[in-house]
Amino acid sequence: MKIATYNVNGINARLPVLLRWLTETAPDVVCLQELKAPQEKFPQQAIRDAGYSAIWKGQKSWNGVAILGRGIELAETRSMLPGDDQDEQSRYIETIVNGISVGCLYLPNGNPVPGPKFDYKLRWFDRLITYAASLLETHTPTILAGDFNVIPTNLDASQPERWVQDALARPESRAAYDKLLELGWIDSLRKLSPTQSIYTYWDYYGYAYQRNTGLRIDHMLVNSELSEQVLEAGVDRHVRGWEKTSDHAPTWIKLSRQFTNPVG
DNA sequence: ATGCCCCAATGTTTGGGA
């Protein structure tokens, strides 16, 4: 079974790239971020025609998250992060599929620092830490996947010095990410590649992809019950080289468990 | 230090991204 996460940077602008990638790699479950579309503008039919059902939480212009399931209907278990009923930004959606709890998240960017956007990022992170701690108590195989907007260590940026003052690498952001790991969440890609520089994002400008000046900011955190089933983890970096592509590349893990759906 | 590029909106630019 393969689970992936992909910040598409506009679901409608990215539809041809998304469909091409789905057809090419046939992931079983896909977490999407940055739909940049209101609820009614999600391209449900095109995705269904490609063999995937979807649940999504849209928002006009910004944010927006979705989960796709290959040949299986998904039941939404949650569509916002607990802890702030006033939060109107669409940044979390969750389902349970094939016995795995799947949380799809788009953490705030937080720039500029300091400022209200950075404060919001840290508050959102605090809510995530609280909720993530409660998830561990269920002992259900669980994954939290998405764009965390955090460069966890200097190994995760090609030019770490450039990001020192940035919300993606600020000590407060890194400390919050570290807190998740201290709770027991496991960074799948880093566990399988402890010393390798792996990037999931490259700037549109400055030929960043061609120069491989990237960041690792999309993460797949698993609990111990799921970690023991992770066989492989990787990034489909070639997708970043396609026409009209996102600035992020799809990131995935392969599990030992079989994906059982009506289609097979 | 700044811009570069790209998206959505109802634009002839702006805000947001990272």
Side-chain angles (χ1 to χ4, degrees):
Chain A
M1 173 179 185
K2 188 186 258 190
I3 304 177
T5 184
Y6 187 19
N7 179 322
V8 291
N9 186 16
I11 183 77
N12 287 301
R14 212 62 62 215
L15 195 55
V17 165
L18 175 64
L19 296 177
R20 179 180 171 189
W21 170 70
L22 289 174
T23 302
E24 180 185 292
T25 66
D28 300 303
V29 175
V30 183
C31 297
L32 300 177
Q33 302 86 35
E34 271 209 275
L35 305 180
K36 290 186 170 180
Q39 191 71 6
E40 65 274 14
K41 294 270 184 69
F42 184 88
Q44 182 179 19
Q45 192 57 51
I47 286 171
R48 187 164 286 278
D49 290 347
Y52 287 83
S53 75
I55 56 172
W56 67 96
K57 174 88 168 176
Q59 182 182 330
K60 186 179 172 183
S61 300
W62 300 307
N63 309 317
V65 285
I67 305 176
L68 313 185
R70 189 170 63 82
I72 191 169
E73 294 299 318
L74 297 179
E76 181 182 290
T77 54
R78 184 170 276 289
S79 63
M80 80 183 286
L81 193 63
D84 182 1
D85 292 341
Q86 306 302 310
D87 187 358
E88 294 182 342
Q89 300 191 21
S90 298
R91 296 181 174 277
Y92 189 82
I93 193 166
E94 183 185 277
T95 190
I96 184 153
V97 54
N98 205 32
I100 301 172
S101 179
V102 178
C104 168
L105 65 97
Y106 176 47
L107 224 136
N109 171 308
N111 282 303
V113 181
K117 290 184 177 178
F118 190 54
D119 296 342
Y120 174 66
K121 176 178 194 160
L122 296 181
R123 282 204 312 277
W124 207 95
F125 229 141
D126 277 343
R127 289 164 57 199
L128 179 62
I129 289 165
T130 300
Y131 182 58
S134 74
L135 286 177
L136 292 177
E137 294 172 7
T138 69
H139 298 288
T140 302
T142 304
I143 180 165
L144 288 171
D147 179 354
F148 284 67
N149 268 316
V150 176
I151 303 165
T153 72
N154 285 350
L155 186 58
D156 301 308
S158 56
Q159 300 164 302
E161 67 286 351
R162 186 188 148 188
W163 300 94
V164 169
Q165 298 299 332
D166 193 280
L168 275 64
R170 287 282 301 174
E172 299 93 326
S173 306
R174 285 183 166 179
Y177 188 82
D178 288 344
K179 178 70 179 174
L180 290 172
L181 305 184
E182 288 162 14
L183 285 171
W185 290 93
I186 296 150
D187 182 334
S188 306
L189 269 78
R190 188 47 77 210
K191 184 184 180 190
L192 269 62
S193 303
T195 59
Q196 189 185 352
S197 285
I198 303 166
Y199 306 133
T200 64
Y201 165 90
W202 298 261
D203 267 339
Y204 280 122
Y205 31 75
Y207 298 96
Y209 178 64
Q210 288 81 355
R211 293 174 179 164
N212 197 29
T213 53
L215 304 175
R216 191 174 73 98
I217 53 177
D218 301 277
H219 305 300
M220 308 190 81
L221 300 188
V222 294
N223 66 356
S224 59
E225 287 81 359
L226 190 58
S227 181
E228 59 195 27
Q229 301 178 31
V230 178
L231 298 176
E232 287 179 63
V235 179
D236 289 334
R237 72 187 306 287
H238 68 284
V239 174
R240 180 62 181 82
W242 291 353
E243 291 288 314
K244 297 282 287 177
T245 200
S246 171
D247 40 6
H248 297 249
T251 303
W252 50 267
I253 57 172
K254 187 177 172 189
L255 302 173
S256 55
R257 84 165 54 201
Q258 295 300 305
F259 184 60
T260 53
N261 67 5
V263 175

